[in-house]
Amino acid sequence: MKTRLFVVFASLLMCLTASALTVETITYAERDSALKMDVYFPDDTLSEHPCLIFAFGGGFRNGTRNSSDIVSAMNNIAKRGIVCAAIDYRLGLKNKSFKNPIESLPYLVTSVEMATEDMLAAGAYIYTNAEALKVDKNLIMASGSSAGAIMSLQADYYLHSDNEMVADLPSGFKFAGVLSFSGAVASFGDRIKYTSQPAPTFFVHGTKDKLVPYTHMSVAGKGMYGSDYLVDVFKKNGWRYEILRYENFGHEVSWIGIKENIPEIFMFIERFVLNKGSEARYGASLDITRKEPGVKKPLWQIEGLNLYKKGENPTVAKDSAQIKRLYGKF
């Protein structure tokens, strides 16, 4: 029944289409080099739009804001009336290799911190320049896949946990929503502790993801707290969320999700970011498990923090549905 609600609601949104889009490349911050964002503008005459910031995945070591799949995703979302900003961020693990997971840990911590700072800087830039970018500054969302999802969740966590990183942000700035495709919140000391209510969050995760954990993992007092863990925190506090769990899938969901779940993305935005009133009809939060009989194990068996490994081979057949969905046309 709940899955059907996604389809029915999405069909009402699919009519919001347009053809040509304008894309503008902007420098939003200067670090060791210029950090840029590609801004996709809907083809309409509105002066204000919701805005979705998107950060690519790649283990904080590789990836680009303008890969063909990201361009397709941003166009797909922007043509439905959302300004999209695909961003660069600093890659703290680029060109680094490690003998073991423990050796990589301090570099991972630094990488998460740098990327989170860049996500917050991108949000602050859009907030400050909202009028020129045709954005409603109160409707800015953070989103991403894998590493991009981690930095999105982390940025919102810092906004709601009195972290010193947010001290110099514009007064009034916050995210209206977070969309996480295989993400987690990192804690570099104690367990995570929100001090105020976070933004409504849409979680998408594979239940057997061990790279970015579906539940949580910790090493030497430092941990990653994934979607299942965070949903429990949200649920206990009465905070708004949606979660789509891919049963028996692994980290491939970080990209399968953004390809397959455009209808769910727009349902989440309508309900929790634009507050269109459908919450009364569909309930405060949604918890959906997507079960597929042919999927018994994840595409890769990659343990968390094994970032030094290269050339991981798929654990499923090359003609499997998972392979086709991950590598097939967007």
Side-chain angles (χ1 to χ4, degrees), residues 157 185-187 190-194 225 229-230 233:
Y157 175 54
V185 171
S187 174
D190 297 327
R191 289 193 174 191
I192 61 170
K193 184 178 180 180
Y194 291 90
Y225 296 87
Y229 183 97
L230 294 172
V233 174

Side-chain angles (χ1 to χ4, degrees), residues 82 141 179 265-275:
I82 309 289
M141 296 166 277
L179 297 90
I265 288 170
F266 276 89
M267 183 174 179
F268 170 80
I269 293 172
E270 285 279 321
R271 297 177 70 228
F272 288 151
V273 178
L274 302 181
N275 292 310

Side-chain angles (χ1 to χ4, degrees), residues 109-170:
V109 171
T110 301
S111 298
V112 172
E113 290 285 271
M114 288 196 307
T116 300
E117 184 179 26
D118 295 343
M119 172 60 79
L120 289 167
Y125 179 90
I126 293 169
Y127 184 87
T128 302
N129 296 278
E131 184 176 357
L133 296 172
K134 298 184 178 181
V135 167
D136 184 332
K137 67 180 182 179
N138 297 311
L139 297 178
I140 300 171
M141 296 166 277
S143 70
S145 294
S146 190
I150 291 171
M151 59 193 274
S152 300
L153 289 169
Q154 197 79 16
D156 193 61
Y157 175 54
Y158 282 172
L159 282 165
H160 297 283
S161 61
D162 304 321
N163 189 278
E164 61 183 13
M165 189 181 290
V166 307
D168 295 328
L169 294 177

Side-chain angles (χ1 to χ4, degrees), residues 292-312:
E292 300 185 23
V295 177
K296 302 297 182 183
K297 57 184 179 180
L299 188 58
W300 296 285
Q301 293 284 5
I302 309 176
E303 297 290 333
L305 293 181
N306 280 335
L307 301 175
Y308 61 96
K309 284 191 173 182
K310 295 182 179 180
E312 288 285 350

Side-chain angles (χ1 to χ4, degrees), residues 69 141 165 179 191 206 209 214 225 241 276 322 325:
D69 281 348
M141 296 166 277
M165 189 181 290
L179 297 90
R191 289 193 174 191
D209 191 338
Y214 169 66
Y225 296 87
Y241 69 89
K276 292 291 189 176
Q322 288 148 283
R325 287 158 73 173

Side-chain angles (χ1 to χ4, degrees), residues 17 52 329:
T17 59
L52 183 78
K329 186 177 179 181

